[in-house]
Amino acid sequence: MKTRKLVLLAGIAVLLCAFVFQTINASRSPIKAYELKDAPDTITIVSESNGKILLTKEYDAWFVGEDKKPASDDEIRYLTSALQRVKTLGLVSRSNSEEALQRYGLDDMTKITITASKGEKVLRTIELGKAATNADQTYVRMDGGSEILIASGNLHHQFEVKAEDLVAPPQEEQKKADSKDVGEQAEVSPKA
């Protein structure tokens, strides 16, 4: 009887150890979500093919470039939502060799670098490489890190834009100007 109890207790101990080991390993999932805590008021997109694009937010309106052309609300919403939450699926490489960077599209000729800031504080820096074999994934480096990760979504395609693609169409600009005029008129009260 004592031997049977000892065997049962030993079996329970082995199963408990296996359970603890599995629980610890399951918590080390390679999937990680990088979420912004603050909304950016400046976004810079730099690529070899399209140069540097500066997006700035003043009050509730976004502007493109140094000359501050009104930005398309839909395009800005599309870009800011992609920056708000970047989901990485795993590590691809720890190598920073020129060969590895070229292989994943993170060399200077191919990559797109996005910097999101609020005031003087940099909230996020992402280097986007090429799309992975599955076109709905992109090779990335996050926040100055050297690890090459694979992220969900074709981020390279989303941010491969030209400044003129982000400028609001004339009818949207007019609508913004009209709403601004109405707001200014409401602020001015007639004197009696």
Side-chain angles (χ1 to χ4, degrees), residues 36 57 65 67 77 94 98-99 103-104 106 108 110 116 130 137 147 153 155 169 177 187 189:
L36 288 178
K57 183 177 182 181
D67 52 353
R77 204 172 7 261
R94 282 184 165 65
E98 192 59 36
E99 182 184 321
R103 181 179 187 190
Y104 298 111
L106 289 161
D108 291 337
T110 312
K130 65 182 183 178
Q137 296 173 345
E147 295 178 331
L155 299 172
E187 290 178 11
S189 60

Side-chain angles (χ1 to χ4, degrees), residues 22-38:
Q22 290 294 329
T23 304
I24 290 171
N25 270 349
S27 68
R28 293 184 187 162
S29 173
I31 297 174
K32 184 174 181 182
Y34 292 84
E35 295 194 35
L36 288 178
K37 292 179 175 49
D38 291 323

Side-chain angles (χ1 to χ4, degrees), residues 65-190:
E66 299 290 334
D67 52 353
K68 298 195 178 194
K69 294 179 182 172
S72 168
D73 290 336
D74 292 337
E75 293 294 331
I76 294 298
R77 204 172 7 261
Y78 182 64
L79 296 179
T80 55
S81 69
L83 277 175
Q84 188 63 39
R85 185 173 194 265
V86 177
K87 182 175 155 186
T88 59
L89 306 174
L91 175 69
V92 176
S93 175
R94 282 184 165 65
S95 175
N96 273 329
S97 70
E98 192 59 36
E99 182 184 321
L101 295 177
Q102 284 180 342
R103 181 179 187 190
Y104 298 111
L106 289 161
D107 57 304
D108 291 337
M109 297 300 292
T110 312
K111 74 179 176 183
I112 299 172
T113 304
I114 299 109
T115 305
S117 307
K118 182 168 186 152
E120 297 296 316
K121 180 182 176 190
V122 174
L123 302 174
R124 162 142 315 131
T125 301
I126 306 173
E127 292 179 3
L128 302 176
K130 65 182 183 178
T133 310
N134 174 354
D136 199 31
Q137 296 173 345
T138 307
Y139 298 111
V140 300
R141 291 199 301 184
M142 300 294 296
D143 298 323
S146 61
E147 295 178 331
I148 299 172
L149 305 167
I150 191 160
S152 179
N154 193 341
L155 299 172
H156 193 279
H157 177 72
Q158 283 181 279
F159 286 92
E160 191 172 37
V161 294
K162 296 179 180 165
E164 55 267 17
D165 296 338
L166 300 174
V167 175
Q171 64 271 20
E172 191 176 326
E173 281 185 51
Q174 185 59 42
K175 196 163 102 175
K176 286 181 181 180
D178 290 346
S179 67
K180 184 180 176 185
D181 290 342
V182 169
E184 287 174 358
Q185 288 175 2
E187 290 178 11
V188 176
S189 60

